[in-house]
Amino acid sequence: MSIPPPYLEEVSPGIFVYVQPDGSWFLNNAGFLVGSESVVAVDTVGTEKRAHAFREALERTTPHPVQALINTHAHGDHTHGNFAFWPQTAVIGHERARREILHSNAPEGVSERFPTADFGQFRHVPPMVTFTDRMSVHVDTLEVQLTHLGPAHTTNDVVAWIPERRVLFAGDLAFNGGTPFAMAGSVLGWLDILPALRAFEADVVVPGHGPVCGMEVFDTVETYLRWVADLARGGHADGVPPLEVAQSVDLGQFADLTDPERLVGNLHRAYADLEADMGGAPRGGALADPVGAFDDMIVLNGGKPLNSHA
Ligand SMILES: [Zn+2]
């Protein structure tokens, strides 16, 4: 299947989004804000070739140097391309994103899990500037407010909000057209932070995957996550394994979202959330059997490896 090439969209003067269709596994969005003398980027992309293409698209738009690069979270699709800006650019992210990139994002693991993706060769570059709750980055007079929310999609999600333009880079707290994925974070935690996301009342939402959209994207995310949470409560109470629950349900209105096999990964996480809540433990801890959860997604995908067009 051939998918359309990435494209740039100027969502507000000087604020560009780099959209990678079709938004499925490893095809994420990035972006950048162009100031009078310098540029601040938000996220990179997941493969060596695509990282160079993103950088070239940026350089065709502006000759200014990229002073800072914000990572919305540690996942490789958003951070593998950090290498293409290093060491000229200060990479900024949550302190747990740094830790995760340094210690747990093993490059060989990801190639094995996504054998159809062409990752290429690159150096893993973690954020060099880290924070825990919030910080601001300024592009001329434009303030970019970074806020950590979660655990939700991961334990280190950061949104970038530009109040003057009412533009929200939501990272993977918003999937537009794709199945929301909480395996590395918390299903229940994501539901808990939806009011905080809605409180931005953004005119433009830049999702982590899929076309630029508005606040309505959070309605789909919420409906999906509530459905997962309900399935998990029933399955967990009855002692039914996540895979059996996933295999027994009709996707219904979610059948058109890409990467539907994420359902079982999400169920593993929702079970862990319920157990964390019952045991008084924090949500978002390591899954008891992350490899098993991943293997279950392959089973749900008809026994085929997870497909990435990246
Ligand atoms: Zn992600």
Side-chain angles (χ1 to χ4, degrees), residues 18-77:
Y18 186 72
V19 180
Q20 295 195 103
D22 61 353
S24 61
W25 286 114
F26 272 90
L27 292 177
N28 66 305
N29 300 332
F32 52 90
L33 294 83
V34 180
S36 58
E37 294 176 288
S38 72
V39 178
V40 170
V42 182
D43 280 339
T44 56
V45 295
T47 74
E48 181 187 8
K49 273 188 204 151
R50 285 177 178 273
H52 289 303
F54 171 52
R55 173 136 206 171
E56 284 157 21
L58 186 156
E59 287 173 351
R60 279 195 299 272
T61 311
T62 169
H64 300 327
V66 183
Q67 282 190 316
L69 160 60
I70 296 153
N71 285 157
T72 59
H73 61 294
H75 278 163
D77 41 351

Side-chain angles (χ1 to χ4, degrees), residues 72-78 153-154 157 171-172 175 181 209:
T72 59
H73 61 294
H75 278 163
D77 41 351
H78 298 256
H153 169 66
T154 66
D157 298 302
D172 282 0
F175 279 82
F181 190 44
H209 296 257

